Amino acid sequence: MFEQYISIFQQEFINNFIKEDRWRYLTNGLLVTLKLTFFAVLLGLVIGFTIAIIRNVHDNTGKLGFLNFLCNLYLTVIRGTPVVVQLMIIYFVIFGSVRIDKALTAILAFGINSGAYQAEIFRAGIQSIPRGQMEAGRSLGFSYFQTMTKIIMPQALKNVIPTLLNEVITLLKETSVAGYIALEDLTKGGDIIRSRTYSAFMPLIAVALIYLIMVLILERIVKLIERRLSKNDKR
Amino acid sequence: MTNANESPLISVRNLEKHFGDMKVLKGITVDINKGDVVCVIGPSGSGKSTFLRCLNRLDEPTGGEIIFDGVNILDPATDIDLHRQKMGMVFQQFNLFPHMSIMKNLTIAPMTLQKKSKEEAEGYAYELLERVGLKNRALDYPLQLSGGQQQRIAIVRALCMKPEVMLFDEPTSALDPEMVGEVLEVMKELADEHMTMVVVTHEMGFAREVASRVMFLDGGDFLEENEPKEFFANPQNDRLKEFLGKVL
Ligand SMILES: Nc1ncnc2c1ncn2[C@@H]1O[C@H](COP(=O)(O)OP(=O)(O)OP(=O)(O)O)[C@@H](O)[C@H]1O
Ligand SMILES: [Mg+2]
């Protein structure tokens, strides 16, 4: 009885992963997922950081009113709509008539999406620094910009590293909707195997396991960094 | 100490500051001369901090003029950052930079803004640290120090820019009582060296002993000013009498 299960398992395994090198759907997909996540996080970092600075300048000086308005519009729209809808709009509507690399589209979509969330993270980080730090910097003769880069940002960035890494974890999972524009990421890879072998269990569980392992590793890194930061925090 | 031939270091003309509808400073006119140690006293909320913070435009005045070193620093065309380098400020909450060592706190402004070499900036910082008795803490971080030590460092940080005037906003109010003395002592030494100082304080003893002039701020303007002996022994204004009655 038991041996029968083992042999079914073996057959399933071979059928789903070994035959026709189907495991490649998973490894290739994983690479796509990692690439998407990595570049989208970077793009989001640039967007988020810029927006946080614009909004902070506006909050403090009242300048940049129009840019600030655009930022708020962007934040409202991006955070108020599902990422998969944003992805499809960018692919089918905005780039609908142009042939553009799917992966690039996805990086744009996820980066633009993540930027909105990272903007809020940076903003919270900047706001967590007491007013007195800006005042002390300015009173010494530093410009707003110098005070921001030398005094506020180093403290704010340190405070937001763990939250930013959590955003990476979120994004890693969110890229799983890339299949909607027929991009073969990890999830899509598992799904392709399922459609070839007509067995859902193995490929989908394998996909889930791979995500889980990556998330666990990232969480472990967050923990390590948090501990490291609090140890170095000579406060 | 006041030299009649010399124009004032800071000349405040009709200084006004409104927060919305609230008029906090209602047209203050006052001169601060080189070497003056001006103590500003007054009830809570009377605008002492606002006055002080208008002097280096941490609060933006809504009217009037402030002539510092012969330049109207309220003129939008003046580079306020440049003038702030010559006006040291010490805050109630110290506001040291917690992510930098003490030495970095002291040298970052001179090195960045005055293009001092590292050796020169550190040399001067060590000199001043020695004088406030904290030379051995140069490599520590601010939050490893006591409040009194942090405030002494904050004073040194401002002094490292070799300012022409030092502005103090209740520098001892956030300190445990046993640490007040060590900070006042440093300020007293500064006064003895004829540093020009504007000090907002509740320390009447300090004002009496160290100030060259004491000024009473209430209702949006200075209601009385005098040299300290007369000021405390023989107050004229009723509001001042009432105030001194409460705090002395
Ligand atoms: N940024 C601000 N916005 C609105 N009102 C303000 C602001 N800063 C100060 N005020 C108000 O201006 C008045 C003067 O404040 P200020 O801090 O100058 O008083 P102070 O004399 O320093 O008082 P304290 O002795 O409590 O420090 C207060 O009524 C205060 O509420
Ligand atoms: Mg005050």
Side-chain angles (χ1 to χ4, degrees):
Chain A
M1 189 67 184
F2 185 68
E3 276 172 15
Q4 205 180 337
Y5 277 127
I6 294 272
S7 107
I8 290 175
F9 186 90
Q10 258 177 1
Q11 261 175 22
E12 279 279 287
F13 190 90
I14 291 168
N15 191 30
N16 277 298
F17 301 130
I18 310 295
K19 223 167 158 187
E20 296 177 10
D21 278 349
R22 283 179 181 140
W23 56 273
R24 283 183 176 280
Y25 287 113
L26 293 184
T27 52
N28 290 344
L30 175 60
L31 284 180
V32 171
T33 292
L34 289 175
K35 190 172 84 178
L36 278 188
T37 308
F38 180 78
F39 288 109
V41 164
L42 281 191
L43 179 59
L45 205 70
V46 174
I47 296 176
F49 193 76
T50 311
I51 289 186
I53 296 278
I54 290 173
R55 298 182 81 201
N56 190 263
V57 171
H58 179 75
D59 289 351
N60 280 308
T61 65
K63 289 181 200 159
L64 306 183
F66 183 65
L67 278 179
N68 187 60
F69 167 79
L70 288 183
C71 291
N72 283 330
L73 185 68
Y74 161 82
L75 293 175
T76 310
V77 171
I78 296 296
R79 296 193 305 159
T81 53
V83 63
V84 60
V85 175
Q86 294 162 17
L87 175 69
M88 292 200 292
I89 287 178
I90 289 184
Y91 186 66
F92 293 113
V93 181
I94 296 178
F95 292 126
S97 52
V98 221
R99 294 228 30 96
I100 179 174
D101 183 38
K102 276 184 212 142
L104 192 62
T105 317
I107 287 170
L108 272 178
F110 290 116
I112 289 172
N113 177 268
S114 181
Y117 293 93
Q118 294 193 43
E120 290 297 302
I121 294 172
F122 283 125
R123 183 168 145 103
I126 294 171
Q127 284 177 340
S128 72
I129 309 302
R131 272 178 71 88
Q133 292 290 306
M134 176 56 82
E135 294 184 346
R138 297 306 304 272
S139 79
L140 286 166
F142 286 116
S143 66
Y144 172 85
F145 186 75
Q146 285 172 320
T147 312
M148 243 6 223
T149 52
K150 286 174 193 301
I151 293 156
I152 308 295
M153 278 304 169
Q155 298 182 64
L157 288 183
K158 197 173 142 182
N159 288 352
V160 301
I161 288 173
T163 332
L164 273 183
L165 284 171
N166 282 321
E167 169 64 18
V168 176
I169 293 175
T170 306
L171 199 60
L172 177 76
K173 290 181 288 182
E174 271 184 351
T175 57
S176 61
V177 298
Y180 274 86
I181 60 168
L183 189 62
E184 295 183 9
D185 73 323
L186 176 57
T187 305
K188 186 73 181 175
D191 199 43
I192 291 173
I193 299 178
R194 180 191 61 78
S195 67
R196 300 273 154 86
T197 60
Y198 300 105
S199 85
F201 179 82
M202 279 242 172
L204 294 186
I205 292 295
V207 166
L209 272 177
I210 296 173
Y211 278 114
L212 184 61
I213 289 166
M214 287 193 297
V215 168
L216 289 178
I217 291 173
L218 280 171
E219 275 176 350
R220 182 97 202 118
I221 294 174
V222 176
K223 287 256 160 54
L224 280 176
I225 289 178
E226 269 175 344
R227 202 174 312 152
R228 189 75 176 264
L229 284 179
S230 65
K231 201 164 69 184
N232 282 359
D233 209 356
K234 298 189 171 142
R235 300 189 177 208
Chain B
M1 262 179 232
T2 327
N3 185 341
N5 297 327
E6 222 175 304
S7 58
L9 180 63
I10 305 177
S11 186
V12 179
R13 297 280 162 259
N14 292 314
L15 179 67
E16 288 180 17
K17 175 65 181 174
H18 305 173
F19 288 110
D21 288 342
M22 190 173 50
K23 301 186 173 181
V24 179
L25 305 178
K26 300 178 185 166
I28 289 182
T29 295
V30 66
D31 283 344
I32 293 158
N33 296 303
K34 243 187 154 80
D36 263 353
V37 178
V38 178
C39 280
V40 177
I41 66 170
S44 180
S46 59
K48 304 181 298 295
S49 299
T50 306
F51 170 71
L52 198 71
R53 293 160 55 85
C54 278
L55 291 182
N56 67 354
R57 273 174 63 184
L58 277 191
D59 279 345
E60 202 63 58
T62 39
E65 291 184 346
I66 296 174
I67 317 290
F68 173 59
D69 265 352
V71 180
N72 178 14
I73 60 171
L74 299 194
D75 186 339
T78 54
D79 182 357
I80 189 62
D81 295 334
L82 223 51
H83 289 280
R84 283 187 180 137
Q85 294 182 26
K86 298 184 271 184
M87 306 172 117
M89 190 169 215
V90 177
F91 302 85
Q92 191 172 336
Q93 300 296 341
F94 330 137
N95 296 344
L96 293 176
F97 308 131
H99 60 302
M100 299 175 186
S101 70
I102 300 297
M103 188 42 79
K104 193 83 204 285
N105 266 274
L106 302 184
T107 54
I108 182 164
M111 284 172 63
T112 314
L113 299 170
Q114 298 176 331
K115 306 286 173 236
K116 294 265 166 65
S117 70
K118 189 164 188 252
E119 293 68 36
E120 193 182 357
E122 291 194 346
Y124 189 54
Y126 270 122
E127 214 175 282
L128 292 174
L129 277 178
E130 175 131 53
R131 281 173 42 196
V132 301
L134 291 171
K135 197 174 178 185
N136 57 338
R137 307 307 297 267
L139 300 180
D140 288 335
Y141 281 75
L143 297 174
Q144 295 172 308
L145 271 55
S146 74
Q149 291 171 330
Q150 286 188 57
Q151 193 62 301
R152 281 185 278 159
I153 297 295
I155 295 173
V156 169
R157 179 175 67 180
L159 289 175
C160 279
M161 292 294 284
K162 303 194 174 154
E164 293 172 26
V165 55
M166 289 281 286
L167 311 174
F168 294 85
D169 191 359
E170 300 197 30
T172 57
S173 293
L175 295 176
D176 291 337
E178 72 268 22
M179 294 174 184
V180 170
E182 66 195 53
V183 171
L184 292 181
E185 189 54 40
V186 170
M187 292 168 62
K188 186 172 180 308
E189 278 172 31
L190 264 184
D192 289 343
E193 291 159 20
H194 309 300
M195 171 61 83
T196 312
M197 296 161 68
V198 183
V199 186
V200 173
T201 186
H202 290 300
E203 297 289 334
M204 296 303 152
F206 178 82
R208 197 193 307 253
E209 196 188 336
V210 180
S212 59
R213 289 155 72 196
V214 187
M215 310 204 298
F216 176 62
L217 183 65
D218 198 7
D221 202 351
F222 289 113
L223 300 183
E224 184 156 341
E225 74 155 277
N226 214 330
E227 51 92 18
K229 228 180 191 166
E230 270 300 293
F231 185 93
F232 288 107
N234 204 359
Q236 302 298 311
N237 183 283
D238 286 339
R239 303 252 283 276
L240 173 57
K241 284 181 198 168
E242 188 193 327
F243 177 73
L244 289 179
K246 273 188 227 155
V247 297
L248 289 181

